Amino acid sequence: MKKLFAVLGDPIGHSMSPIMLNDVLTNNNIDAHYHPFKVSPEDLEIAIKGLKAIGIAGFNVTIPHKSAIIPFLDDIDELALRIGAVNTVVNDNGKLVGYNTDGYGFIKGLEPYISSFSNKKVLVIGAGGAARAIYFTMAKMNPLAIDITNRTLMKAKELIQACPFESNSKPLSLKDAEAHLNEYDVVIQTTMIGMYPNVSETPISLKNLNNQALVCDIVYNPLETQFLLEARQKGATVQNGVEMFVYQGALAFEKWTGIFPDVKRMRDNVLRQLEA
Ligand code: ATR
């Protein structure tokens, strides 16, 4: 019988996951369909019950349900619980189990550049939901240091305090981060600053950027934010948000099927959708 996979969100119309994941299902000869469902927050619980009742094979959740879904799951992976957000649910013999593949997806996307973080100083810009997934997951990789800068300094402090994994971390004001930017090997922009239509905005000045640094932005619309453009002009290696999106989807696919899919194929597919 054909299996069903899904993504739940609100809005959901612009999700690139259905095209990306239906293509890899077909490419791996899996008789299944991945469908987007618009589910409003008040309908989330009943939607989850319905999906469970029909025996859904697995699904993704996106904004605004990543935290709200947790009470409706049968089990949750420890890292996802600590992050407080789930983006992937596996149906394990009738039990719905939640995972978070955002942080690992981000880190897997860095593999071409970084094999070990033990000698890397990392700066995370932002202290929201995306920062939390990336920071907690990266803290597990034992980087030399992983600092957080945020417009509201208190939120950076709170994020560091909330991290369940031991890490060498300090909160920085945006001004302090700008002043000490040359110390960092990896700079990760986790806010929506610079996303279409506010394409000229950047979170911090890159005046003191180390030109050997790897600079990442989780934004993928535009593909090259003003922040990445400035980093590239300074000679840094840059990575846009397509990689995190593709790898979080690849890791979800692997959890559902046991197969790690063709990431190049997924990336090409996403880039085609973004160009269209
Ligand atoms: P998400 O879950 O997508 O990460 P969020 O939880 O709303 O979103 O977090 C947004 C992050 O972007 C926060 O770090 C926020 O900074 P504050 O904590 O000071 O609000 C940051 N952010 C958003 N707009 C910003 C702006 N114009 N300038 C600086 N930081 C901004």
Side-chain angles (χ1 to χ4, degrees):
M1 197 174 62
K2 204 179 188 81
K3 287 183 179 169
L4 179 67
F5 294 95
V7 55
L8 315 187
D10 186 11
I12 199 64
H14 290 97
S15 172
M16 293 185 292
S17 295
I19 293 177
M20 177 175 84
L21 288 167
N22 275 314
D23 178 67
V24 283
L25 283 167
T26 307
N27 191 44
N28 286 282
N29 299 313
I30 297 169
D31 186 20
H33 177 69
Y34 182 102
H35 197 82
F37 289 104
K38 181 174 181 294
V39 176
S40 61
E42 59 273 22
D43 287 336
L44 183 63
E45 181 173 11
I46 195 160
I48 304 298
K49 282 190 175 150
L51 291 175
K52 190 172 170 178
I54 62 169
I56 191 153
F59 56 97
N60 288 125
V61 275
T62 187
I63 293 167
H65 304 315
K66 285 186 178 186
S67 298
I69 191 174
I70 292 174
F72 310 133
L73 298 172
D74 298 308
D75 204 353
I76 180 165
D77 162 75
E78 154 121 34
L79 178 64
L81 181 65
R82 302 289 199 161
I83 294 170
V86 161
N87 75 325
T88 300
V89 178
V90 175
N91 187 338
D92 181 9
N93 291 312
K95 254 177 58 181
L96 296 182
V97 185
Y99 296 89
N100 188 310
T101 68
D102 288 329
Y104 279 126
F106 178 79
I107 287 167
K108 220 166 158 51
L110 300 186
E111 274 178 8
Y113 308 107
I114 297 175
S115 51
S116 163
F117 287 91
S118 61
N119 61 346
K120 303 290 181 210
K121 278 195 80 170
V122 181
L123 178 68
V124 174
I125 303 173
R132 193 174 169 97
I134 290 171
Y135 171 59
F136 282 15
T137 313
M138 197 167 271
K140 285 187 83 168
M141 307 284 139
N142 292 313
L144 189 59
I146 178 163
D147 297 339
I148 302 182
T149 184
N150 193 48
R151 176 178 60 181
T152 311
L153 189 60
M154 184 52 84
K155 283 206 204 157
K157 282 186 189 155
E158 284 167 1
L159 194 52
I160 290 170
Q161 275 164 7
C163 185
F165 312 108
E166 205 167 304
S167 68
N168 176 18
S169 298
K170 61 177 184 292
L172 294 171
S173 67
L174 297 177
K175 281 260 166 296
D176 282 347
E178 288 174 346
H180 294 276
L181 200 56
N182 63 342
E183 295 171 18
Y184 294 96
D185 306 294
V186 184
V187 178
I188 308 165
Q189 199 301 103
T190 70
T191 77
M192 291 301 128
I193 297 170
M195 190 165 86
Y196 181 82
N198 304 315
V199 295
S200 62
E201 290 179 8
T202 63
I204 58 171
S205 157
L206 292 177
K207 187 164 161 276
N208 295 326
L209 181 70
N210 169 357
N211 64 6
Q212 302 291 308
L214 171 62
V215 180
C216 310
D217 200 321
I218 68 161
V219 172
Y220 51 75
N221 183 15
L223 280 175
E224 185 171 73
T225 55
Q226 178 67 24
F227 188 66
L228 286 192
L229 169 70
E230 289 176 15
R232 186 167 58 80
Q233 286 172 341
K234 292 220 117 203
T237 303
V238 298
Q239 184 170 77
N240 65 31
V242 170
E243 296 306 299
M244 178 174 169
F245 177 71
V246 166
Y247 277 99
Q248 62 74 33
L251 291 171
F253 187 87
E254 187 182 33
K255 290 210 176 294
W256 296 326
T257 65
I259 300 165
F260 191 78
D262 179 347
V263 170
K264 180 180 181 309
R265 187 181 176 96
M266 293 170 74
R267 181 188 302 115
D268 290 347
N269 203 329
V270 168
L271 291 173
R272 270 198 303 278
Q273 291 187 64
L274 286 168
E275 278 157 19

